[in-house]
Amino acid sequence: LFSLSASAANVLAFGGDNDLVRNSAFSAGSFAKTSFSVELWFKSDAVNRGYLVQSANSSSSSPEQKIRYSMRLEAGGSVIASYGGNSSYVSAASTSSYGDGNWHHAAMTLASSGVFTLYIDGAAVATDSYSEASGTRYYTHSLYLGVLTSTSFSNSSYFKGQMRDVRFWSVTRSSAEILANRDATLTGAEAGLFAWYTLDQGVGGGTSTSTST
């Protein structure tokens, strides 16, 4: 079971075996279309490959045509962000290791120009260029934190470590905004903020099996 660390600023700890956060109706096709941003804080020793955030199809109908996005930590510590659908995919990978047991901030953004960027600790570390394929679909997705999942296979690549302050934006956050605000506490009323998971609810040092926000 995942737990909240017993500290002044609680975080969500994932055990790496069966822990995950799920929102089964996160996006009704409006998020991750044309432009978006996802950012979060994580800490891990990166012994195993683990997914930080991932969208998954809510149904098995034409899964290959639907848009998907993810950020994962590879064994060894590199961070890889990916986005795309319908045979058009992009990815951006760090060349440095961040599985060092320290807190790091990771963000991925897609601009309306198609530029896909991965940021680590406020600095752009990799980019790619996305071009939408004809027939790409934008439907309701389930949101997952801490696991790789799909309608076609069982959960795998569980994240082992800690995570906090996961933010979803329906706009492209600039490099200056990411750098300046990664440590800032949001009010929840910021322009373009689509969803925000602080991951600090529950009882510090205890299990959190039913916390929903």
Side-chain angles (χ1 to χ4, degrees):
L1 297 176
F2 49 60
S3 63
L4 289 164
S5 66
S7 65
N10 286 333
V11 300
L12 196 60
F14 296 78
D17 47 9
N18 61 359
D19 300 336
L20 60 91
V21 174
R22 179 191 181 195
N23 184 335
S24 60
F26 174 75
S27 169
S30 58
F31 183 74
K33 182 178 182 180
T34 306
S35 59
F36 75 97
S37 306
V38 178
E39 55 182 322
L40 55 85
W41 284 90
F42 73 92
K43 181 170 73 170
S44 177
D45 58 14
V47 173
N48 300 307
R49 181 193 202 200
Y51 271 68
L52 300 168
V53 58
Q54 183 225 356
S55 66
N57 299 321
S58 298
S59 73
S60 58
S61 176
S62 304
E64 72 284 349
Q65 296 179 337
K66 298 175 182 177
I67 209 71
R68 296 188 293 275
Y69 58 87
S70 68
M71 270 198 294
R72 70 181 187 267
L73 186 67
E74 289 288 286
S78 65
V79 178
I80 300 178
S82 63
Y83 174 82
N86 205 24
S87 300
S88 180
Y89 299 95
V90 291
S91 64
S94 70
T95 57
S96 298
S97 172
Y98 300 97
D100 53 11
N102 296 314
W103 281 104
H104 294 285
H105 182 266
M108 61 178 172
T109 66
L110 177 70
S112 58
S113 62
V115 176
F116 184 68
T117 306
L118 171 66
Y119 296 85
I120 302 293
D121 296 330
V125 298
T127 62
D128 203 345
S129 183
Y130 172 73
S131 179
E132 182 185 276
S134 176
T136 300
R137 298 184 179 185
Y138 300 87
Y139 285 102
T140 299
H141 290 143
S142 294
L143 165 69
Y144 288 86
L145 303 178
V147 68
L148 170 65
T149 191
S150 170
T151 54
S152 59
F153 57 83
S154 300
N155 295 344
S156 63
S157 296
Y158 284 96
F159 172 66
K160 184 176 182 180
Q162 299 179 357
M163 202 183 310
R164 63 178 174 87
D165 206 14
V166 186
R167 307 172 180 182
F168 297 83
W169 305 85
S170 57
V171 295
T172 307
R173 300 284 281 176
S174 69
S175 57
E177 288 172 325
I178 291 172
L179 179 61
N181 295 288
R182 61 196 176 113
D183 292 311
T185 300
L186 301 182
T187 66
E190 287 78 5
L193 183 63
F194 186 88
W196 177 28
Y197 298 85
T198 58
L199 304 185
D200 63 354
Q201 300 90 348
V203 179
T207 58
S208 301
T209 57
S210 60
T211 303
S212 60
T213 59

